[in-house]
Amino acid sequence: MTVTTVKTAPIDGQVPGTSGLRKKTHIFMQPHYLENFIQSIWTAIGGVRGKTLVLGGDGRYFNDRAAQVILRMAAAGGAAKVIVGQSALLSTPAASHLIRLYKTDGGIIMSASHNPGGPDEDFGVKFNMPNGGPAPEPVTDRMVAAAQSISEYHIIEAQDVDLARLGTTTLGAMQIEVVDPVADYAELMEKLFDFKAIKALLDSGFTLRFDAMHAVTGPYATAILEGALGAAPGSVVNAVPSPDFGGGHPDPNPIWAKDLMDVMMGPDAPDFGAASDGDGDRNMIVGRGCYVGPSDSLAVLAANAHFAPAYSAGLKGVARSMPTSRALDRVAAKRGLECYETPTGWKFFGNLLDDGRITLCGEESAGTGSDHVREKDGLWAVLLWLNILARTGKSVAQMMTDHWAEFGRNFYSRHDYEAVDGARAKEMLDRLRGRLATLPGTDILGAVVDSADEFAYDDPVDGSRSTGQGLRVTFQGGGRIVYRLSGTGTVGATLRVYIEDVSDDPATFTKDTQLALNDMIDRAETLAGIAEFTGRTAPDVRT
Ligand code: VG1
Ligand code: CO
């Protein structure tokens, strides 16, 4: 085995965002681009010599080629072993599980998650730590520093490894174990949930439709929902992962999973519908004629998790990202649970989970998870929902009605302004930031501002501080508006405006969300001048 040392130079923009480094695929395919970043990961984690890593991705375009490069660089760095999902496929939660199960030194996940895939779309790489969770900021900071000062990388010359065949092989002195991407994960799910109850529910005629959106969860959902649980063949649709996700946008929300929404709102809707994203860590839940917003789903799961064997002893505590609606807080308050508020991105939940402070957590962006892995987990959320429905005998719509009756309703919507001018969006936020201190006590279109600040997070476990995590304005009566820029986009800037209002009046509970939020939406515009700074009079996407 010959290790080649390749001279290189820093490349602009190699800065991981909310979840790893994401760029246009053609940028990742440029000479040295992937290699520079992988070498920088090795530097950030103190090298790979003697280490065991997990490797897999969501199957998007360039996944197969990138895997071969990463393996050759791991071998050149002296790694002892890499556990690879067959055909270089692993969902993000399955990768997290393998890292933990086999007590490895971490892993690389090749994914740009909900971003579209293909030669003209997006690719991404993220590193997960030995606890199975995304690298925290101090580690990604070291990646950035390494990428900015890189002068060479190391790679071996070798033929491609056959990743289609299960079993053990070697690359130079490094062992490669190609594993079934689904098996260990499916076994974990069976341990967490009451499969007997779910099976009985499905046997009784309960129908479901899971839309894998041509992404990585197809094989997982087919094996678990149709295989282990006996859902009717064909219940899982768009089940074969494709490099460009069938030309679609693998983001499970009512806009991008419109086909599923149409079926669920139609006359022949099944009892339960769900979808997942590119890398399988997000979920959308929808009942017959009843869409469940992600923040509500998180609250319902927290309130009912005890129906699943893994959580029957109750939850240690819960957490949500700051922009996520405070429906979860209401559950926590009633149940006497500690509720933590973290910045956007799963990496901030890791310490709370590791430290045993929380069992369950989630984000408004359709991510929910628990201490079973250190990533959000789409299929896990689907199975927990099914477990709860099986044990309570309720429909999805009934669950929601009962939940709101007990806890009240937090109307919630996120408005995204995509590919806006980044400089102008920053100016808008700068102006608002400058006015925050003067806002409390002022009346904005009939509601009085209660507090206004820029969110910063002090991690209660390791004491680290993360600043600049979004501008938030709360109103007397419980309404709230949050503004932040996305950290996962690859073109221009995406402005996210998170709008929330609360109601305890049962007569309003079934109101349309956008209508219920009308006044708050107007306040969001009045406060920030979105139209003036972005040139947009309406968002591109409302979730
Ligand atoms: C978005 C979501 C955030 C999520 C992140 C990664 O980040 O808002 O909640 O953790 O994507 O999800 P941003 O910075 O664009 O708002 V995934 O499934 O794309 O890895
Ligand atoms: Co994802």
Side-chain angles (χ1 to χ4, degrees), residues 48-120:
V48 280
R49 185 154 305 281
K51 290 185 177 172
T52 296
L53 299 177
V54 166
L55 173 66
D58 62 15
R60 69 182 59 223
Y61 186 84
F62 193 49
N63 187 94
D64 50 349
R65 302 304 317 142
Q68 298 291 344
V69 169
I70 294 167
L71 287 173
R72 287 202 275 270
M73 290 188 69
K81 181 175 177 179
V82 181
I83 299 170
V84 193
Q86 189 175 23
S87 302
L89 290 180
L90 280 178
S91 77
T92 286
S96 181
H97 178 51
L98 289 182
I99 291 170
R100 297 165 63 77
L101 182 65
Y102 296 108
K103 301 190 168 39
T104 67
D105 301 290
I108 287 186
I109 302 170
M110 300 168 289
S111 171
S113 190
H114 59 285
N115 300 20
D120 299 320

Side-chain angles (χ1 to χ4, degrees), residues 193-426:
F193 300 115
D194 189 344
F195 269 35
K196 253 176 89 182
I198 303 175
K199 228 173 166 337
L201 177 73
L202 291 167
D203 285 348
S204 74
F206 181 97
T207 50
L208 65 83
R209 183 181 179 93
F210 181 95
D211 191 336
M213 303 188 84
H214 305 279
V216 78
T217 32
Y220 295 85
T222 307
I224 296 170
L225 298 175
E226 295 185 14
L229 291 168
S235 297
V236 180
V237 299
N238 300 321
V240 180
S242 92
D244 68 347
F245 307 116
H249 199 132
D251 193 350
N253 62 43
I255 292 106
W256 299 117
K258 188 173 179 306
D259 292 353
L260 176 66
M261 285 300 286
D262 288 348
V263 171
M264 296 308 296
M265 299 302 147
D268 302 316
D271 295 293
F272 183 84
S276 191
D277 72 332
D279 61 333
D281 56 0
R282 296 188 182 202
N283 71 90
M284 178 174 92
I285 303 295
V286 43
R288 179 184 293 138
C290 170
Y291 168 69
V292 182
S295 293
D296 275 345
S297 175
L298 172 63
V300 168
L301 294 182
N304 298 284
H306 57 275
F307 287 111
Y311 313 105
S312 59
L315 306 175
K316 291 172 182 157
V318 294
R320 60 164 172 81
S321 65
M322 184 275 280
T324 303
S325 100
R326 291 159 300 166
L328 179 68
D329 304 40
R330 294 191 183 219
V331 174
K334 269 213 159 172
R335 300 285 160 87
L337 295 170
E338 192 73 42
C339 181
Y340 296 84
E341 185 174 45
T342 57
T344 296
W346 211 259
K347 58 187 170 219
F348 294 102
F349 293 130
N351 279 345
L352 299 174
L353 291 163
D354 285 350
D355 202 46
R357 290 174 186 241
I358 61 167
T359 309
L360 203 131
C361 47
E363 298 189 274
E364 53 67 39
S365 53
T368 14
S370 85
D371 56 4
H372 69 291
V373 291
R374 291 295 179 274
E375 286 277 6
K376 52 189 184 270
D377 189 342
L379 256 177
W380 169 89
V382 169
L383 291 167
L384 182 51
W385 259 97
L386 289 173
N387 191 146
I388 292 166
L389 296 179
R391 289 287 304 281
T392 58
K394 292 183 190 174
S395 68
V396 173
Q398 191 63 49
M399 282 298 300
M400 296 319 298
T401 309
D402 291 355
H403 187 87
W404 294 328
E406 184 177 358
F407 298 100
R409 178 154 193 199
N410 290 51
F411 288 99
Y412 184 84
S413 180
R414 188 180 86 195
H415 289 193
D416 289 337
Y417 299 80
E418 293 178 344
V420 297
D421 180 332
R424 290 287 286 157
K426 269 192 80 242

Side-chain angles (χ1 to χ4, degrees), residues 135-193:
E137 281 185 341
V139 180
T140 54
D141 288 348
R142 290 205 292 275
M143 290 176 198
V144 175
Q148 282 169 357
S149 60
I150 193 167
S151 59
E152 59 184 38
Y153 61 82
H154 312 289
I155 189 161
I156 64 162
E157 284 169 32
Q159 295 296 318
D160 279 1
V161 180
D162 180 2
L163 297 177
R165 217 176 41 216
L166 295 176
T168 305
T169 156
T170 54
L171 184 60
M174 184 178 83
Q175 249 196 41
I176 293 176
E177 190 184 348
V178 179
V179 299
D180 178 336
V182 178
D184 285 319
Y185 176 84
E187 207 173 291
L188 173 65
M189 292 301 119
E190 201 158 347
K191 279 194 202 132
L192 299 177
F193 300 115

Side-chain angles (χ1 to χ4, degrees), residues 419-502:
V420 297
D421 180 332
R424 290 287 286 157
K426 269 192 80 242
E427 269 175 52
M428 187 193 93
L429 295 179
D430 288 345
R431 192 183 71 168
L432 180 58
R433 186 181 294 108
R435 291 177 51 212
L436 289 175
T438 65
L439 285 177
T442 51
D443 181 297
I444 311 287
L445 304 180
V448 178
V449 175
D450 189 39
S451 64
D453 66 358
E454 179 161 38
F455 182 56
Y457 179 62
D458 291 300
D459 186 307
V461 179
D462 67 14
S464 61
R465 185 172 177 80
S466 304
T467 56
Q469 298 295 333
L471 307 183
R472 55 181 178 177
V473 179
T474 57
F475 293 86
Q476 289 173 9
R480 186 180 69 155
I481 302 166
V482 174
Y483 304 83
R484 63 178 281 279
L485 295 178
S486 156
T488 56
T490 57
V491 185
T494 293
L495 170 68
R496 302 203 196 284
V497 184
Y498 309 81
I499 301 148
E500 180 178 2
D501 211 352
V502 298

